[in-house]
Amino acid sequence: MPPFEVPEGDPFGPHNLPYGVFSTSGSTERRVGVRLGDHVLDAGAAALALGSPYASLLARPTLNPLLAAGRTTWSDVRRALTAWVSVPAHRATLEPLFHPLSAVTLHLPFEVADYVDFYASENHARNAGRIFRPDAAEPLTPNWKHLPIGYHGRAGTVVVSGTDVVRPSGQRKAPSDPEPVFGPSVRLDIEAEVGFVVGAPSRQGEPVALGDFRDHVFGLTLLNDWSARDIQAWEYVPLGPFLGKSFATSISAWITPLEALEEARVPPPRRTHPLLPYLDDATEEPAGYDLRISIAINGQTVSEPPFSTMYWTAAQQLAHLTVNGASLRTGDLYGSGTVSGAEPGERGSLLELTWNGQDPLELRDGKRTYLEDGDVVTLSAWAPGPGGSRVGLGDVSGRVVAG
């Protein structure tokens, strides 16, 4: 099918236009691309062919120059791209600059500066509390309703969808073991998340206010923060996650600009505790997003977590991340934390889906408590778009291989 003839209802129509980086067969040159249906437009070549002033931002091997350009430029470029793929007069010029998705290689779309992971789902936090502290009267820790809990992760192991995930090794110690042992993780898990990509930087010492969220965050992407539960359980006291999380974080090859998700914005859940002023969003524009996520293992859907249930919004996470004066850099990435709904079929990790291995999942190829070598995990999602359409988020997939 010609690239401009996108079927009606396609979640990657002109209303979406996510950004990525690709190369063609036989070439190592990386180019910024924009997805339209099952094709990718060479955005830099298109800008040059049409005499666009944005060619210097788009004819690059990474999205970072565009990310750094700021919100006004993001809007201008998106408006131009929408016109290029929608106006018939441009078709003859642009058609040779489209490539079938099946014929290109997709790469990590931006250079990751820093990576932070949060813990923003109340359902996930309550489930984890009940699993690890079954005798506690309250599953949430005392600070949970007062601030978005997070930790600083490892930017160097953020990988693009399709990259194999090598089973990590490390120390682990079961409660009944007299001493720790070393070896491959036997409780390798997933965490279905949404990642937010920072474009415009901020100055050190100047916190970013809630209302400035969309001036700094360019877009979002699906994210799987792989987790070795057994390694993490032994190492995390008292300083938190380290080797159990830092071995791999997978993101989609496509970054969906926030402007494509205007119809998906929703209020967050009702707040149950008063918030300090820098986090109080009672008078701010709705900062939640209605994203419908699906988790599949070896092609079988096992859960459908709803992102609209997240207690802490991405705007609050950004405000908290910078309230101490920490600066933002172009390419910063922060994860929402595991997305889990209230129902058993909406949980975003195997920790919850199997209740820490007590209730194995029944898959077509056998039972699972945690991931086995060869398992392929795929996250997919869509959001409501204009006129009843759907906005597709690029899938993120990874296969577990032996270490």
Side-chain angles (χ1 to χ4, degrees), residues 262-279:
E262 285 298 298
E263 301 294 327
R265 292 168 59 200
V266 293
R270 184 180 66 85
R271 309 301 182 191
T272 57
H273 290 59
L275 298 178
L276 291 170
Y278 79 97
L279 292 172

Side-chain angles (χ1 to χ4, degrees), residues 15-19 71 74-75 78 194-198 212-221 255-265 285 287-289 291 314-315 318 334 391:
H15 62 293
N16 189 346
L17 302 180
Y19 294 88
R71 185 177 178 182
W74 304 338
S75 296
R78 177 171 170 79
V194 174
F196 292 85
V197 181
V198 171
D212 295 332
F213 164 71
R214 291 197 291 166
D215 291 333
H216 291 276
V217 173
F218 174 80
L220 54 78
T221 184
I255 309 301
T256 304
L258 293 186
E259 287 192 38
L261 296 166
E262 285 298 298
E263 301 294 327
R265 292 168 59 200
E285 59 185 9
Y289 285 93
L291 311 177
L318 191 71
Y334 64 99
V391 176

